[in-house]
Amino acid sequence: MNNFFATPKGAWGDGSSHLTTIGISIVAAAIILLLITAAIIRHRNADHRQAFTTKQLVYSSAAIALAVVCSMIKLFEMPMGGSVTLMSMLFIVLIAYWYGPYVGVMTAVAYGLVQFVTEPIFYTIPQMILDYPLAFGALGIAGFFHNKKYGLQAGYLAAVAGRFFFASLSGYIFFASYAPEGMHPAVYSVAYQASYLIPETVVTLIIISIPNVAKALSRVKREAVYN
């Protein structure tokens, strides 16, 4: 394990670890393998509506790249991870909303691993799994609303709720010691996650509900799905 992990100075606190170059390379390879596997599975999937196509793979990769860039534009950042970003979650939610849960979850999990690589600091493997592939992977839940009226807004709310659940669970299990004296760790974790997820959610929902923005997103959807 020492070939993959090290204990950095000035990280989140004592006991935290980060990936070495070898570890980052392995996670990067896992991301590529995940997308390739998802694309290959489509040839064996009887229901092609739930399968990756070349166009979906291209759009999904572009969405991950845009989400990463926007996640680096932080309007507010929490001391132990988590931040209000420039609507970074929206790009992953759009993929799920356009293409359904299969493509959405695969893309979201890949995005979670990319997020981990960009800041590979963690305490334990279970904590890393909860905070990255599971929490970000939950954004793919939006895919279950892809045929619903107001599906983008409803899907976005469900997606953020999924991320909120896994992030709060991780905070309760692994970061309970950071709760202020007299505050229950579960309450602390929920309040911590809500402090950055709720503001970004409210801002994003307002923006995507603006008529001109909604029309623009509809045009992009037609290009991504039907053309």
Side-chain angles (χ1 to χ4, degrees), residues 6-7 11 15 18 36 59 67 74 94 96 104 122 136 178 198 206-207:
T7 302
H18 72 87
I36 292 175
Y59 272 90
K74 299 178 181 179
L94 283 173
F122 62 102
F136 285 101
Y178 290 92
I198 289 179
I206 291 174
I207 290 176

Side-chain angles (χ1 to χ4, degrees), residues 10 12 14 40 55 67 77 79 83-84 86 97 109 111 115 119 144 165 169 175-176 187 203 206 216 221:
W12 292 336
D14 294 338
I40 291 174
K55 176 183 280 190
E77 186 171 10
S83 57
V84 178
L86 189 62
Y97 172 62
V109 171
Y111 174 60
Q115 281 291 339
E119 192 176 6
F144 291 102
F165 171 78
L169 183 62
F175 299 95
V187 175
V203 170
I206 291 174
K221 180 181 179 180

Side-chain angles (χ1 to χ4, degrees), residues 102-127:
Y102 176 80
V103 176
V105 169
M106 287 290 186
T107 301
V109 171
Y111 174 60
L113 293 175
V114 171
Q115 281 291 339
F116 177 53
V117 169
T118 58
E119 192 176 6
I121 303 172
F122 62 102
Y123 284 98
T124 66
I125 295 297
Q127 174 260 318

Side-chain angles (χ1 to χ4, degrees), residues 71-197:
S71 72
M72 294 178 180
I73 304 174
K74 299 178 181 179
L75 308 179
F76 175 76
E77 186 171 10
M78 299 293 288
M80 293 287 293
S83 57
V84 178
T85 70
L86 189 62
M87 301 189 296
S88 60
M89 293 184 291
L90 176 61
F91 295 98
I92 307 303
V93 168
L94 283 173
I95 294 298
Y97 172 62
W98 292 342
Y99 300 133
Y102 176 80
V103 176
V105 169
M106 287 290 186
T107 301
V109 171
Y111 174 60
L113 293 175
V114 171
Q115 281 291 339
F116 177 53
V117 169
T118 58
E119 192 176 6
I121 303 172
F122 62 102
Y123 284 98
T124 66
I125 295 297
Q127 174 260 318
M128 181 273 288
I129 291 173
L130 270 176
D131 279 335
Y132 293 97
L134 287 181
F136 285 101
L139 296 177
I141 291 173
F144 291 102
F145 297 83
H146 72 291
N147 287 325
K148 305 293 184 182
K149 187 176 182 181
Y150 304 113
L152 179 56
Q153 287 84 353
Y156 186 88
L157 282 172
V160 175
R163 180 182 171 187
F164 176 80
F165 171 78
F166 286 111
S168 297
L169 183 62
S170 172
Y172 173 65
I173 296 173
F174 301 106
F175 299 95
S177 61
Y178 290 92
E181 185 176 353
M183 178 179 285
H184 193 282
V187 175
Y188 168 72
S189 181
V190 167
Y192 184 97
Q193 308 306 329
S195 67
Y196 66 91
L197 285 174

